[in-house]
Amino acid sequence: EAGVAQSPRYKIIEKRQSVAFWCNPISGHATLYWYQQILGQGPKLLIQFQNNGVVDDSQLPKDRFSAERLKGVDSTLKIQPAKLEDSAVYLCASSSFLRVRSGNTIYFGEGSWLTVV
Amino acid sequence: KNEVEQSPQNLTAQEGEFITINCSYSVGISALHWLQQHPGGGIVSLFMLSSGKKKHGRLIATINIQEKHSSLHITASHPRDSAVYICAAISGGGADGLTFGKGTHLIIQP
């Protein structure tokens, strides 16, 4: 079974530039998550999709971050304009259920490492 | 709101040592994930457990739901075990149902 695919793996940009990350979840997984993980901290949920609908984007900085999952399969996360504090790993994950519960699990991608200079 | 605390934050040990990483949480949960994150890599789920103990190779995870505590043990540790270990409580907090700890950075020296 193919895992969660993310690209690019690494990106270095200057502040005020824009960047986009792409994620392809495990086939058949209706739920897709984007997490931000700052060095030394646990992942923080940015946005959760169920198919092509947004379930939760309460922690997404909407003035600069946007995400879409138009066809309910792959997704893109965009940052424009980037700030120094956006330097982090952006993790995509997928699950076959709306919420992680005992008995099912969540699968993470390799992550996209962003450095803003 | 569930708080998930891990200890220690950083751990350096010699190859072959027995390793214990602890995770405690403040609110009752249905299950807990132990995740492994290698430098430059993504996150891999090691265990998901809701009671008792699970073992996979040299890794053992235990959980005590009543005491709100879980431990991850590594026997006969090896340098390739060096990674960040994160516990994530499945408690219903947030849309995704997960509350993450900050992680334990483990280094095993040869």
Side-chain angles (χ1 to χ4, degrees):
Chain A
E1 179 182 76
V4 177
Q6 288 189 246
S7 67
R9 289 294 319 279
Y10 304 95
K11 191 75 176 178
I12 300 174
I13 62 173
E14 294 183 351
K15 59 183 179 184
R16 291 186 290 275
Q17 286 187 324
S18 63
V19 63
F21 301 114
W22 173 84
C23 172
N24 192 19
I26 290 174
S27 177
H29 279 191
T31 307
L32 184 147
Y33 315 81
W34 281 103
Y35 290 91
Q36 179 193 57
Q37 186 180 19
I38 293 172
L39 187 66
Q41 299 182 18
K44 180 184 86 170
L45 179 68
L46 291 175
I47 188 167
Q48 179 181 348
F49 292 96
Q50 176 75 358
N51 297 310
N52 62 350
V54 175
V55 174
D56 184 357
D57 63 357
S58 57
Q59 297 193 89
L60 187 74
K62 298 181 184 64
D63 57 334
R64 297 182 301 105
F65 285 65
S66 64
E68 59 183 15
R69 194 185 183 199
L70 292 175
K71 296 182 179 179
V73 181
D74 55 353
S75 174
T76 55
L77 175 70
K78 295 180 181 176
I79 307 173
Q80 182 179 16
K83 292 185 175 182
L84 296 176
E85 59 260 34
D86 298 332
S87 295
V89 180
Y90 291 87
L91 295 160
C92 180
S94 72
S95 172
S96 54
F97 292 87
L98 177 59
R99 301 173 89 228
V100 179
R101 301 182 191 278
S102 178
N104 66 79
T105 192
I106 182 171
Y107 298 85
F108 288 87
E110 294 277 296
S112 292
W113 296 69
L114 174 66
T115 301
V116 182
V117 297
Chain B
K1 181 186 172 185
N2 206 357
E3 302 287 339
V4 176
E5 300 286 337
Q6 284 187 239
S7 63
Q9 279 189 293
N10 298 283
L11 177 58
T12 299
Q14 294 298 122
E15 184 174 356
E17 287 188 39
F18 182 81
I19 304 299
T20 296
I21 299 170
N22 296 299
C23 176
S24 60
Y25 46 91
S26 58
V27 176
I29 66 172
S30 61
L32 184 137
H33 267 291
W34 277 104
L35 309 167
Q36 181 190 56
Q37 185 173 34
H38 278 279
I43 292 177
V44 174
S45 178
L46 298 173
F47 297 102
M48 185 168 64
L49 66 165
S50 55
S51 65
K53 180 169 76 173
K54 285 190 176 180
K55 185 175 189 291
H56 185 252
R58 295 180 294 105
L59 301 177
I60 303 167
T62 64
I63 190 168
N64 186 317
I65 294 290
Q66 287 74 29
E67 294 186 2
K68 299 185 175 63
H69 182 268
S70 176
S71 293
L72 177 68
H73 306 283
I74 305 174
T75 62
S77 60
H78 190 276
R80 64 175 174 266
D81 297 326
S82 299
V84 176
Y85 293 86
I86 303 170
C87 68
I90 302 168
S91 61
D96 61 344
L98 292 172
T99 304
F100 292 87
K102 291 185 177 181
T104 295
H105 189 193
L106 174 66
I107 297 174
I108 303 297
Q109 294 177 335

